[in-house]
Amino acid sequence: MDEFLREYPLYKEYLLVEDYKIGNEFYYDPSQFIGVKFKHFCEVDNEETIFNLTLEKGNHFNRYSYEDSIPEFLFLENRLNFTFVSIGTCQKCEQCQIHFLLHVYSDNPISYILNNIRNIKLSDRPSVNLEKANIYIQKVGQYPQAKFEINKTVKKFLDKESLTFYFKGLRALNSNLGVGSLAYFRRILERELIHIVKEIKELPSTDKIEVQKLIDEYDKGGKASSIYNNIFPFLPNSLRSIDINPLQLLYSLMSEGLHIYTEEQALEKAQKIKKLLEFVIIQINEEKSTLKDIRQIVKDLRPDQ
């Protein structure tokens, strides 16, 4: 639950209970979420603290007893299915709060009667095909909205328009919008890959002459693919160490159709593009920073300084 409440975006499902049966009847009603603890950033204390979940005051779920059975209004077609508001309050300051609208559901029918080995209430048993059931949860609302931080190196590297796409891509990822997030990260690749090549050319471990030849060919109207397909031997060691040409891989993703993927597939691909793009940018920056530091050290050690 800590990972789910702290990190999961809206609408991404999280497995709460696998194979719901006697002995593991958990999270079958909202009251069972009271007291759940999770880590989150507290804006009052300006640090990560422990938050505790409670139900909102006046919540009608508090009026029911669940000792013997689960109320029928928590079900839809014999499957567990309910939505409720839960509030996370900072344990330290007791002021900072996060409101979640949570949706809990089972993929197959479960028992209305607690601690009953039969999977469904007596009157419905003849008409229901009993199967193993799992219980899932997803956020369908959150206030304040989840915040995300951009790596300072990435933020400095991207130009203004690419940074705008980056923010929108992150927001789409956070909302579990696969095709939307993939579209934004592809726009970034279209704008930034040639920028990355030019930055790589300036690194000390790069063959500047050969990389410049590739750039010149591109500037004269050559195919962009020739740069990314042929640059691998001239990349710095940090980028060749992953045993695949990262620029060629990123470039190849720009030509794929957006709608050949399901939302889930597009979301996974967008997340991986984000991580690989960040890796390349950070590696370039680290090598540039090392060179800058060494140059300063050499300057300081020279006897004429």
Side-chain angles (χ1 to χ4, degrees):
M1 282 292 288
D2 176 78
E3 179 189 15
F4 167 72
L5 292 168
R6 179 164 43 91
E7 299 181 2
Y8 268 49
L10 297 180
Y11 307 110
K12 182 177 180 181
E13 69 177 19
Y14 176 83
L15 178 62
L16 269 176
V17 181
E18 186 174 11
D19 193 12
Y20 180 92
K21 59 187 178 183
I22 288 180
N24 70 344
E25 305 106 323
F26 303 110
Y27 303 117
Y28 52 75
D29 75 79
S31 68
Q32 291 205 319
F33 291 83
I34 296 174
V36 168
K37 299 182 185 298
F38 63 99
K39 291 181 180 179
H40 206 281
F41 184 79
C42 173
E43 295 187 356
V44 175
D45 293 312
N46 199 34
E47 64 177 345
E48 188 175 69
T49 62
I50 302 296
F51 282 65
N52 295 317
L53 275 189
T54 59
L55 299 184
E56 63 177 343
K57 291 182 180 180
N59 194 313
H60 69 280
F61 292 117
N62 289 317
R63 301 200 301 268
Y64 295 90
S65 170
Y66 303 97
E67 293 180 1
D68 301 316
S69 63
I70 308 171
E72 291 190 25
F73 68 82
L74 296 178
F75 289 79
L76 179 64
E77 297 179 348
N78 297 313
R79 292 173 173 80
L80 197 67
N81 194 315
F82 60 89
T83 302
F84 67 104
V85 175
S86 187
I87 302 171
T89 303
C90 175
Q91 187 173 279
K92 184 177 180 181
C93 73
E94 298 183 344
Q95 298 178 46
C96 185
Q97 291 187 331
I98 305 166
H99 292 67
F100 297 107
L101 184 60
L102 302 176
H103 177 214
V104 176
Y105 54 96
S106 64
D107 55 358
N108 286 309
I110 70 169
S111 175
Y112 285 72
I113 303 170
L114 297 176
N115 298 319
N116 189 323
I117 196 168
R118 301 298 293 272
N119 237 36
I120 201 67
K121 66 180 181 177
L122 185 61
S123 61
D124 287 344
R125 283 176 190 163
S127 62
V128 175
N129 181 22
L130 305 181
E131 300 178 44
K132 184 177 78 170
N134 298 320
I135 298 179
Y136 297 89
I137 187 172
Q138 59 182 183
K139 299 175 188 173
V140 293
Q142 179 174 334
Y143 181 83
Q145 290 184 342
K147 294 183 177 180
F148 38 79
E149 294 184 4
I150 292 183
N151 180 282
K152 292 180 180 179
T153 299
V154 175
K155 186 175 182 179
K156 185 177 180 180
F157 185 90
L158 299 177
D159 67 18
K160 185 177 180 179
E161 188 168 354
S162 293
L163 194 58
T164 298
F165 290 144
Y166 197 84
F167 272 111
K168 290 181 177 180
L170 290 180
R171 194 172 298 283
L173 283 176
N174 192 57
S175 299
N176 217 33
L177 301 175
V179 173
S181 58
L182 182 57
Y184 284 123
F185 282 103
R186 280 183 40 168
R187 292 289 298 274
I188 296 169
L189 294 181
E190 290 170 359
R191 294 179 53 81
E192 295 294 333
L193 276 182
I194 193 64
H195 176 201
I196 288 172
V197 171
K198 291 178 179 179
E199 288 293 318
I200 287 173
K201 190 194 75 169
E202 303 304 319
L203 298 179
S205 59
T206 301
D207 189 327
K208 294 179 176 57
I209 295 176
E210 293 300 325
V211 174
Q212 186 59 53
K213 287 181 181 178
L214 294 174
I215 295 174
D216 291 341
E217 182 181 343
Y218 169 76
D219 288 340
K220 292 177 181 178
K223 292 183 178 180
S225 59
S226 65
I227 295 181
Y228 311 113
N229 293 341
N230 297 308
I231 198 172
F232 187 71
F234 315 119
L235 292 178
N237 292 332
S238 59
L239 293 180
R240 283 191 284 120
S241 63
I242 59 176
D243 298 326
I244 192 171
N245 184 340
L247 301 190
Q248 183 184 41
L249 179 58
L250 289 172
Y251 178 77
S252 68
L253 295 169
M254 288 165 41
S255 60
E256 294 181 341
L258 283 175
H259 297 287
I260 64 173
Y261 303 109
T262 64
E263 278 290 313
E264 185 175 346
Q265 291 171 333
L267 188 70
E268 182 180 359
K269 190 167 286 286
Q271 289 170 334
K272 291 179 178 179
I273 289 175
K274 171 183 173 292
K275 289 180 180 179
L276 181 56
L277 179 64
E278 289 177 345
F279 169 79
V280 170
I281 291 173
I282 290 170
Q283 290 301 318
I284 292 172
N285 181 75
E286 287 182 353
E287 189 156 341
K288 287 175 65 177
S289 298
T290 300
L291 175 62
K292 182 178 179 181
D293 292 342
I294 292 298
R295 281 176 173 168
Q296 184 61 49
I297 290 172
V298 170
K299 181 179 178 181
D300 293 342
L301 290 176
R302 285 174 54 183
D304 57 341
Q305 296 297 314

